[in-house]
mmCIF file of all heavy atoms in Angstrom:
data_model
loop_
_atom_site.group_PDB
_atom_site.id
_atom_site.type_symbol
_atom_site.label_atom_id
_atom_site.label_comp_id
_atom_site.label_asym_id
_atom_site.label_seq_id
_atom_site.Cartn_x
_atom_site.Cartn_y
_atom_site.Cartn_z
ATOM 1 N N PHE A 1 -29.279 55.168 -82.217
ATOM 2 C CA PHE A 1 -29.700 53.963 -82.937
ATOM 3 C C PHE A 1 -29.484 52.717 -82.079
ATOM 4 O O PHE A 1 -30.335 51.822 -82.031
ATOM 5 C CB PHE A 1 -28.944 53.847 -84.274
ATOM 6 C CG PHE A 1 -29.460 52.742 -85.153
ATOM 7 C CD1 PHE A 1 -30.738 52.813 -85.696
ATOM 8 C CD2 PHE A 1 -28.680 51.635 -85.449
ATOM 9 C CE1 PHE A 1 -31.239 51.800 -86.513
ATOM 10 C CE2 PHE A 1 -29.164 50.606 -86.261
ATOM 11 C CZ PHE A 1 -30.447 50.699 -86.793
ATOM 12 N N LYS A 2 -28.331 52.683 -81.378
ATOM 13 C CA LYS A 2 -28.024 51.548 -80.488
ATOM 14 C C LYS A 2 -29.142 51.379 -79.457
ATOM 15 O O LYS A 2 -29.635 50.282 -79.227
ATOM 16 C CB LYS A 2 -26.719 51.819 -79.744
ATOM 17 C CG LYS A 2 -25.558 50.986 -80.249
ATOM 18 C CD LYS A 2 -24.347 51.122 -79.326
ATOM 19 C CE LYS A 2 -23.086 50.803 -80.093
ATOM 20 N NZ LYS A 2 -21.992 51.731 -79.811
ATOM 21 N N ASP A 3 -29.527 52.514 -78.832
ATOM 22 C CA ASP A 3 -30.510 52.453 -77.742
ATOM 23 C C ASP A 3 -31.924 52.170 -78.248
ATOM 24 O O ASP A 3 -32.769 51.723 -77.491
ATOM 25 C CB ASP A 3 -30.532 53.785 -76.970
ATOM 26 C CG ASP A 3 -29.165 54.082 -76.359
ATOM 27 O OD1 ASP A 3 -28.360 53.127 -76.239
ATOM 28 O OD2 ASP A 3 -28.892 55.249 -76.025
ATOM 29 N N ASN A 4 -32.202 52.507 -79.515
ATOM 30 C CA ASN A 4 -33.596 52.424 -79.983
ATOM 31 C C ASN A 4 -33.756 51.571 -81.233
ATOM 32 O O ASN A 4 -34.712 51.750 -81.986
ATOM 33 C CB ASN A 4 -34.131 53.820 -80.296
ATOM 34 C CG ASN A 4 -34.076 54.740 -79.098
ATOM 35 O OD1 ASN A 4 -34.938 54.685 -78.238
ATOM 36 N ND2 ASN A 4 -33.043 55.564 -79.050
ATOM 37 N N ARG A 5 -32.795 50.653 -81.455
ATOM 38 C CA ARG A 5 -32.814 49.987 -82.758
ATOM 39 C C ARG A 5 -34.098 49.215 -83.011
ATOM 40 O O ARG A 5 -34.507 49.019 -84.157
ATOM 41 C CB ARG A 5 -31.596 49.092 -82.950
ATOM 42 C CG ARG A 5 -31.494 47.964 -81.960
ATOM 43 C CD ARG A 5 -30.356 47.057 -82.340
ATOM 44 N NE ARG A 5 -30.753 46.162 -83.418
ATOM 45 C CZ ARG A 5 -30.072 45.074 -83.719
ATOM 46 N NH1 ARG A 5 -28.970 44.781 -83.064
ATOM 47 N NH2 ARG A 5 -30.473 44.269 -84.681
ATOM 48 N N LYS A 6 -34.766 48.797 -81.953
ATOM 49 C CA LYS A 6 -36.022 48.055 -82.140
ATOM 50 C C LYS A 6 -37.110 48.983 -82.696
ATOM 51 O O LYS A 6 -38.023 48.542 -83.390
ATOM 52 C CB LYS A 6 -36.491 47.471 -80.795
ATOM 53 C CG LYS A 6 -35.606 46.347 -80.272
ATOM 54 C CD LYS A 6 -35.911 45.024 -80.991
ATOM 55 C CE LYS A 6 -34.914 43.949 -80.613
ATOM 56 N NZ LYS A 6 -33.587 44.118 -81.277
ATOM 57 N N ASN A 7 -37.003 50.276 -82.360
ATOM 58 C CA ASN A 7 -38.065 51.205 -82.761
ATOM 59 C C ASN A 7 -37.788 51.945 -84.063
ATOM 60 O O ASN A 7 -38.713 52.377 -84.746
ATOM 61 C CB ASN A 7 -38.288 52.267 -81.670
ATOM 62 C CG ASN A 7 -38.587 51.621 -80.333
ATOM 63 O OD1 ASN A 7 -39.155 50.527 -80.298
ATOM 64 N ND2 ASN A 7 -38.197 52.268 -79.248
ATOM 65 N N VAL A 8 -36.498 52.151 -84.391
ATOM 66 C CA VAL A 8 -36.198 52.981 -85.562
ATOM 67 C C VAL A 8 -36.437 52.197 -86.848
ATOM 68 O O VAL A 8 -35.834 51.155 -87.071
ATOM 69 C CB VAL A 8 -34.738 53.497 -85.513
ATOM 70 C CG1 VAL A 8 -34.382 54.218 -86.798
ATOM 71 C CG2 VAL A 8 -34.548 54.425 -84.317
ATOM 72 N N ASP A 9 -37.362 52.709 -87.684
ATOM 73 C CA ASP A 9 -37.687 52.004 -88.932
ATOM 74 C C ASP A 9 -36.812 52.470 -90.097
ATOM 75 O O ASP A 9 -36.635 51.753 -91.072
ATOM 76 C CB ASP A 9 -39.155 52.251 -89.297
ATOM 77 C CG ASP A 9 -40.085 51.748 -88.202
ATOM 78 O OD1 ASP A 9 -40.143 50.524 -88.014
ATOM 79 O OD2 ASP A 9 -40.720 52.582 -87.517
ATOM 80 N N LEU A 10 -36.285 53.695 -89.974
ATOM 81 C CA LEU A 10 -35.549 54.257 -91.101
ATOM 82 C C LEU A 10 -34.602 55.345 -90.616
ATOM 83 O O LEU A 10 -34.925 56.083 -89.680
ATOM 84 C CB LEU A 10 -36.557 54.865 -92.090
ATOM 85 C CG LEU A 10 -35.971 55.562 -93.306
ATOM 86 C CD1 LEU A 10 -36.210 54.722 -94.546
ATOM 87 C CD2 LEU A 10 -36.602 56.923 -93.524
ATOM 88 N N VAL A 11 -33.439 55.447 -91.259
ATOM 89 C CA VAL A 11 -32.502 56.516 -90.922
ATOM 90 C C VAL A 11 -32.344 57.434 -92.145
ATOM 91 O O VAL A 11 -32.139 56.955 -93.260
ATOM 92 C CB VAL A 11 -31.116 55.955 -90.518
ATOM 93 C CG1 VAL A 11 -30.170 57.087 -90.143
ATOM 94 C CG2 VAL A 11 -31.251 54.963 -89.375
ATOM 95 N N LEU A 12 -32.482 58.750 -91.903
ATOM 96 C CA LEU A 12 -32.242 59.739 -92.960
ATOM 97 C C LEU A 12 -30.872 60.336 -92.651
ATOM 98 O O LEU A 12 -30.694 61.000 -91.626
ATOM 99 C CB LEU A 12 -33.341 60.806 -92.926
ATOM 100 C CG LEU A 12 -33.365 61.824 -94.058
ATOM 101 C CD1 LEU A 12 -33.578 61.142 -95.402
ATOM 102 C CD2 LEU A 12 -34.482 62.843 -93.830
ATOM 103 N N LEU A 13 -29.909 60.069 -93.515
ATOM 104 C CA LEU A 13 -28.511 60.344 -93.181
ATOM 105 C C LEU A 13 -27.886 61.352 -94.136
ATOM 106 O O LEU A 13 -27.893 61.155 -95.352
ATOM 107 C CB LEU A 13 -27.737 59.013 -93.221
ATOM 108 C CG LEU A 13 -26.222 59.037 -93.087
ATOM 109 C CD1 LEU A 13 -25.805 59.565 -91.715
ATOM 110 C CD2 LEU A 13 -25.643 57.644 -93.299
ATOM 111 N N ASP A 14 -27.333 62.430 -93.570
ATOM 112 C CA ASP A 14 -26.633 63.423 -94.384
ATOM 113 C C ASP A 14 -25.279 62.848 -94.787
ATOM 114 O O ASP A 14 -24.609 62.201 -93.987
ATOM 115 C CB ASP A 14 -26.442 64.711 -93.568
ATOM 116 C CG ASP A 14 -25.765 65.802 -94.385
ATOM 117 O OD1 ASP A 14 -25.976 65.848 -95.606
ATOM 118 O OD2 ASP A 14 -25.024 66.601 -93.792
ATOM 119 N N MET A 15 -24.871 63.097 -96.027
ATOM 120 C CA MET A 15 -23.667 62.461 -96.517
ATOM 121 C C MET A 15 -22.402 63.191 -96.085
ATOM 122 O O MET A 15 -21.395 62.591 -95.746
ATOM 123 C CB MET A 15 -23.729 62.394 -98.033
ATOM 124 C CG MET A 15 -22.621 61.587 -98.631
ATOM 125 S SD MET A 15 -22.898 61.374 -100.382
ATOM 126 C CE MET A 15 -22.163 62.858 -101.017
ATOM 127 N N ILE A 16 -22.443 64.529 -96.138
ATOM 128 C CA ILE A 16 -21.206 65.278 -95.871
ATOM 129 C C ILE A 16 -21.278 65.919 -94.497
ATOM 130 O O ILE A 16 -21.984 66.903 -94.288
ATOM 131 C CB ILE A 16 -20.977 66.330 -96.982
ATOM 132 C CG1 ILE A 16 -20.804 65.596 -98.308
ATOM 133 C CG2 ILE A 16 -19.750 67.178 -96.669
ATOM 134 C CD1 ILE A 16 -20.792 66.482 -99.515
ATOM 135 N N MET A 17 -20.591 65.307 -93.529
ATOM 136 C CA MET A 17 -20.596 65.836 -92.160
ATOM 137 C C MET A 17 -19.169 65.871 -91.636
ATOM 138 O O MET A 17 -18.369 65.010 -91.973
ATOM 139 C CB MET A 17 -21.446 64.939 -91.242
ATOM 140 C CG MET A 17 -22.906 64.858 -91.605
ATOM 141 S SD MET A 17 -23.847 63.918 -90.362
ATOM 142 C CE MET A 17 -23.220 62.256 -90.590
ATOM 143 N N PRO A 18 -18.858 66.859 -90.804
ATOM 144 C CA PRO A 18 -17.543 66.854 -90.156
ATOM 145 C C PRO A 18 -17.489 65.719 -89.139
ATOM 146 O O PRO A 18 -18.521 65.217 -88.710
ATOM 147 C CB PRO A 18 -17.492 68.211 -89.449
ATOM 148 C CG PRO A 18 -18.916 68.640 -89.306
ATOM 149 C CD PRO A 18 -19.660 68.029 -90.441
ATOM 150 N N GLY A 19 -16.291 65.305 -88.750
ATOM 151 C CA GLY A 19 -16.185 64.191 -87.802
ATOM 152 C C GLY A 19 -16.421 62.899 -88.543
ATOM 153 O O GLY A 19 -15.758 62.608 -89.537
ATOM 154 N N LEU A 20 -17.404 62.157 -88.075
ATOM 155 C CA LEU A 20 -17.721 60.879 -88.692
ATOM 156 C C LEU A 20 -18.497 61.140 -89.991
ATOM 157 O O LEU A 20 -19.576 61.713 -89.953
ATOM 158 C CB LEU A 20 -18.577 60.062 -87.709
ATOM 159 C CG LEU A 20 -18.483 58.542 -87.779
ATOM 160 C CD1 LEU A 20 -17.044 58.075 -87.597
ATOM 161 C CD2 LEU A 20 -19.369 57.928 -86.719
ATOM 162 N N SER A 21 -17.939 60.719 -91.124
ATOM 163 C CA SER A 21 -18.596 61.010 -92.404
ATOM 164 C C SER A 21 -19.855 60.169 -92.568
ATOM 165 O O SER A 21 -20.065 59.197 -91.842
ATOM 166 C CB SER A 21 -17.650 60.682 -93.549
ATOM 167 O OG SER A 21 -17.567 59.282 -93.683
ATOM 168 N N GLY A 22 -20.670 60.531 -93.536
ATOM 169 C CA GLY A 22 -21.882 59.771 -93.822
ATOM 170 C C GLY A 22 -21.578 58.310 -94.089
ATOM 171 O O GLY A 22 -22.277 57.411 -93.609
ATOM 172 N N ARG A 23 -20.481 58.081 -94.836
ATOM 173 C CA ARG A 23 -20.162 56.703 -95.200
ATOM 174 C C ARG A 23 -19.771 55.874 -93.971
ATOM 175 O O ARG A 23 -20.205 54.726 -93.803
ATOM 176 C CB ARG A 23 -19.036 56.692 -96.230
ATOM 177 C CG ARG A 23 -18.869 55.328 -96.845
ATOM 178 C CD ARG A 23 -17.861 55.270 -97.965
ATOM 179 N NE ARG A 23 -17.959 53.969 -98.623
ATOM 180 C CZ ARG A 23 -17.182 53.587 -99.624
ATOM 181 N NH1 ARG A 23 -16.277 54.406 -100.095
ATOM 182 N NH2 ARG A 23 -17.314 52.394 -100.162
ATOM 183 N N ASP A 24 -18.947 56.479 -93.107
ATOM 184 C CA ASP A 24 -18.515 55.757 -91.897
ATOM 185 C C ASP A 24 -19.700 55.513 -90.960
ATOM 186 O O ASP A 24 -19.823 54.445 -90.358
ATOM 187 C CB ASP A 24 -17.431 56.557 -91.157
ATOM 188 C CG ASP A 24 -16.163 56.673 -91.994
ATOM 189 O OD1 ASP A 24 -15.996 55.866 -92.930
ATOM 190 O OD2 ASP A 24 -15.353 57.584 -91.723
ATOM 191 N N THR A 25 -20.548 56.542 -90.846
ATOM 192 C CA THR A 25 -21.739 56.399 -89.996
ATOM 193 C C THR A 25 -22.590 55.244 -90.504
ATOM 194 O O THR A 25 -23.050 54.403 -89.727
ATOM 195 C CB THR A 25 -22.570 57.704 -90.020
ATOM 196 O OG1 THR A 25 -21.729 58.796 -89.671
ATOM 197 C CG2 THR A 25 -23.727 57.630 -89.048
ATOM 198 N N PHE A 26 -22.760 55.199 -91.830
ATOM 199 C CA PHE A 26 -23.574 54.137 -92.424
ATOM 200 C C PHE A 26 -22.983 52.757 -92.100
ATOM 201 O O PHE A 26 -23.696 51.827 -91.721
ATOM 202 C CB PHE A 26 -23.676 54.339 -93.939
ATOM 203 C CG PHE A 26 -24.407 53.232 -94.639
ATOM 204 C CD1 PHE A 26 -25.715 52.915 -94.288
ATOM 205 C CD2 PHE A 26 -23.797 52.486 -95.642
ATOM 206 C CE1 PHE A 26 -26.399 51.891 -94.927
ATOM 207 C CE2 PHE A 26 -24.475 51.461 -96.279
ATOM 208 C CZ PHE A 26 -25.774 51.161 -95.920
ATOM 209 N N ALA A 27 -21.656 52.644 -92.223
ATOM 210 C CA ALA A 27 -20.991 51.363 -91.949
ATOM 211 C C ALA A 27 -21.265 50.929 -90.508
ATOM 212 O O ALA A 27 -21.568 49.757 -90.236
ATOM 213 C CB ALA A 27 -19.500 51.504 -92.197
ATOM 214 N N LYS A 28 -21.189 51.908 -89.562
ATOM 215 C CA LYS A 28 -21.399 51.571 -88.148
ATOM 216 C C LYS A 28 -22.863 51.198 -87.866
ATOM 217 O O LYS A 28 -23.136 50.325 -87.046
ATOM 218 C CB LYS A 28 -20.980 52.756 -87.263
ATOM 219 C CG LYS A 28 -19.455 52.955 -87.263
ATOM 220 C CD LYS A 28 -19.010 53.600 -85.958
ATOM 221 C CE LYS A 28 -17.578 53.263 -85.603
ATOM 222 N NZ LYS A 28 -16.603 54.125 -86.296
ATOM 223 N N LEU A 29 -23.809 51.894 -88.538
ATOM 224 C CA LEU A 29 -25.225 51.551 -88.372
ATOM 225 C C LEU A 29 -25.458 50.123 -88.857
ATOM 226 O O LEU A 29 -26.203 49.355 -88.256
ATOM 227 C CB LEU A 29 -26.117 52.513 -89.171
ATOM 228 C CG LEU A 29 -26.203 53.969 -88.696
ATOM 229 C CD1 LEU A 29 -26.913 54.832 -89.732
ATOM 230 C CD2 LEU A 29 -26.934 54.075 -87.354
ATOM 231 N N LYS A 30 -24.786 49.770 -89.953
ATOM 232 C CA LYS A 30 -24.948 48.425 -90.519
ATOM 233 C C LYS A 30 -24.358 47.361 -89.590
ATOM 234 O O LYS A 30 -24.857 46.234 -89.533
ATOM 235 C CB LYS A 30 -24.267 48.330 -91.882
ATOM 236 C CG LYS A 30 -25.249 48.493 -93.021
ATOM 237 C CD LYS A 30 -24.599 48.256 -94.360
ATOM 238 C CE LYS A 30 -24.949 46.877 -94.880
ATOM 239 N NZ LYS A 30 -24.755 46.770 -96.334
#
């Protein structure tokens, strides 16, 4: 997302993931 933020129109994000959770990932994308 960092490298392509100009091009990405939408993110489809799984909520339950090992490591960085969906919620944390969402916070970082924001």
Side-chain angles (χ1 to χ4, degrees):
F1 188 67
K2 253 189 204 137
D3 300 342
N4 301 279
R5 62 173 281 197
K6 291 281 172 284
N7 304 330
V8 173
D9 300 293
L10 177 108
V11 181
L12 188 61
L13 172 64
D14 182 32
M15 188 172 86
I16 298 171
M17 297 186 292
L20 209 57
S21 74
R23 192 175 190 182
D24 295 341
T25 306
F26 176 58
K28 290 208 154 83
L29 291 170
K30 261 186 102 160

